[in-house]
Amino acid sequence: MLLSELWFLLIGVLFVGFMFLEGFDFGVGMSTRFLAKNDLDRRMLIQTIGPTWAANEVWLVTAVGAMFAAFPHWYATLLSGYYMPVIVLLLALIARGVSFEFRDRVESEKWVKTWDWSIFIGSIFPPFILGLTFASLIKGLPIDADMNMYAGFFDIVNTYTVVGGLTFVALSYLHGLTFISLKTDGSLRTRARKEAQKWYAITGGLVFWFVILTVFYTEAFSAKGPILIPLYILVGILYGALMLLLRNKKEGFSFTVTGIILIMITASFFIALFPNVMISSLDIAHNITIYEAVSGDYSLRIMTIVAATMIPVVLGYTFWTYYVFRKRVSKKENLNY
């Protein structure tokens, strides 16, 4: 395997890891509006992700940083056409993070409600924009021979990409609900389990719709069908099993399955892209491949050494953090938010 291929794989793994870990964070943020009945419920919900949400976002920062260092032409072309989506994504993540820290600093109902809305909105936009971006990448964007992108509004925002964004929002919410049922106790736990069963059909419908649109709007299946078809069949089988797990109150397995589904859907975008990093809708000859977008060999070698050293550390503190904060959150606990 070439270093360029290895780094494409690593960047894909980082985005997949981010969607698995931050996906349930986003879902918990959405649930503060849909599931919580009062301020105590909201504080319990935020407490479930309080110790880990910031560490989970490191995966996105690392993925974008790795993209910049390993594939500068990919980074430059993508960011040049996605100014507004990226700005909205960053503002949403900042607003969400600030809200967790600020909402309990002033004893004012108006103050708390303002930050609660900020958490809710800041939890919906990131998965939507990431789904929108991934979908538009495999659909293709107007890129010329000099790697310049001239994307208009409807090149990025159209039926296919919006369905891709909504699919990620729905999957994140479902993933968040299974996480809440695993991390809380009492009535909140019961309500999360019931809400997951209600949301099941909506999420499944969106995933199915998105896969069908992928057949008609992209070349993904004609190019990578032997890989993507078994992958989506497995997604369907897992999704069918998920309802049985939810009905039988298998909370740990339910959370694992929603996470695997989110992982497989995210991975499918990178499988569909390879060996391209950007697909041109103008001419297939203008596609940007990993071999054209890659950085110098010396840079990749240094980055590989650093990654091989640091990845075990990152994985180690991630597992340790989740082990330390593995307890269920209850009303009796000292809530910090």
Side-chain angles (χ1 to χ4, degrees), residues 17-243:
F18 173 74
M19 286 311 304
F20 174 80
L21 293 171
E22 196 69 358
F24 64 75
D25 281 4
F26 293 141
V28 171
M30 293 178 217
S31 72
T32 58
R33 187 55 50 188
F34 293 130
L35 192 66
K37 289 186 174 178
N38 50 49
D39 187 59
L40 179 60
D41 283 350
R42 291 190 185 90
R43 295 181 66 192
M44 287 178 64
L45 289 170
I46 297 171
Q47 186 78 24
T48 62
I49 59 172
T52 55
W53 69 267
N56 293 342
E57 290 191 357
V58 171
W59 287 69
L60 178 63
V61 175
T62 308
V64 176
M67 182 192 292
F68 170 74
F71 300 102
H73 296 300
W74 183 12
Y75 179 89
T77 303
L78 180 66
L79 271 291
S80 68
Y82 280 79
Y83 281 126
M84 286 309 296
V86 169
I87 288 172
V88 173
L89 172 66
L90 292 176
L91 288 176
L93 290 174
I94 291 169
R96 183 169 169 275
V98 169
S99 303
F100 291 145
E101 303 299 329
F102 279 19
R103 76 179 298 277
D104 70 331
R105 298 303 174 94
V106 176
E107 290 186 9
S108 160
E109 188 178 346
K110 189 177 179 181
W111 172 271
V112 172
K113 279 187 176 179
T114 300
W115 293 117
D116 283 345
W117 275 108
S118 180
I119 291 171
F120 176 68
I121 294 169
S123 299
I124 287 182
F125 274 100
F128 179 77
I129 290 172
L130 286 170
L132 189 90
T133 302
F134 288 145
S136 60
L137 283 178
I138 64 170
K139 180 176 180 292
L141 293 153
I143 299 169
D144 66 13
D146 296 321
M147 300 186 187
N148 295 314
M149 190 199 297
Y150 301 97
F153 179 80
F154 292 108
D155 289 311
I156 296 175
V157 182
N158 49 66
T159 302
Y160 177 63
T161 60
V162 169
V163 173
L166 292 175
T167 301
F168 264 56
V169 171
L171 281 170
S172 296
Y173 184 47
L174 185 62
H175 193 34
L177 289 170
T178 58
F179 179 74
I180 293 166
S181 68
L182 191 64
K183 283 290 292 180
T184 60
D185 214 341
S187 62
L188 200 53
R189 176 184 177 184
T190 306
R191 272 185 275 140
R193 203 164 47 227
K194 290 180 178 176
E195 179 76 0
Q197 292 179 40
K198 290 179 186 173
W199 201 251
Y200 178 87
I202 297 171
T203 307
L206 279 169
V207 172
F208 181 74
W209 189 15
F210 176 72
V211 173
I212 295 299
L213 289 180
T214 301
V215 174
F216 293 103
Y217 278 83
T218 76
E219 302 294 326
F221 279 94
S222 58
K224 301 289 170 50
I227 302 174
L228 291 179
I229 291 172
L231 185 144
Y232 282 123
I233 289 174
L234 186 55
V235 167
I237 293 170
L238 287 173
Y239 205 77
L242 178 61
M243 178 50 86

Side-chain angles (χ1 to χ4, degrees), residues 234-288:
L234 186 55
V235 167
I237 293 170
L238 287 173
Y239 205 77
L242 178 61
M243 178 50 86
L244 294 176
L245 295 172
L246 290 171
R247 285 178 177 168
N248 288 290
K249 303 178 183 179
K250 303 291 185 185
E251 293 159 343
F253 285 116
S254 298
F255 173 71
T256 303
V257 167
T258 55
I260 292 174
I261 290 170
L262 203 46
I263 285 172
M264 293 174 79
I265 297 289
T266 308
S268 70
F269 289 105
F270 289 89
I271 293 169
L273 266 181
F274 184 83
N276 303 301
V277 289
M278 299 286 292
I279 294 175
S280 174
S281 58
L282 302 178
D283 190 330
I284 192 172
H286 300 165
N287 288 357
I288 304 173

Side-chain angles (χ1 to χ4, degrees), residues 275-314:
N276 303 301
V277 289
M278 299 286 292
I279 294 175
S280 174
S281 58
L282 302 178
D283 190 330
I284 192 172
H286 300 165
N287 288 357
I288 304 173
T289 69
I290 59 173
Y291 312 109
E292 296 166 334
V294 72
S295 185
D297 193 53
Y298 178 75
S299 300
L300 291 185
R301 285 205 303 271
I302 296 295
M303 289 169 57
T304 305
I305 294 170
V306 173
T309 308
M310 295 306 297
I311 285 176
V313 176
V314 173

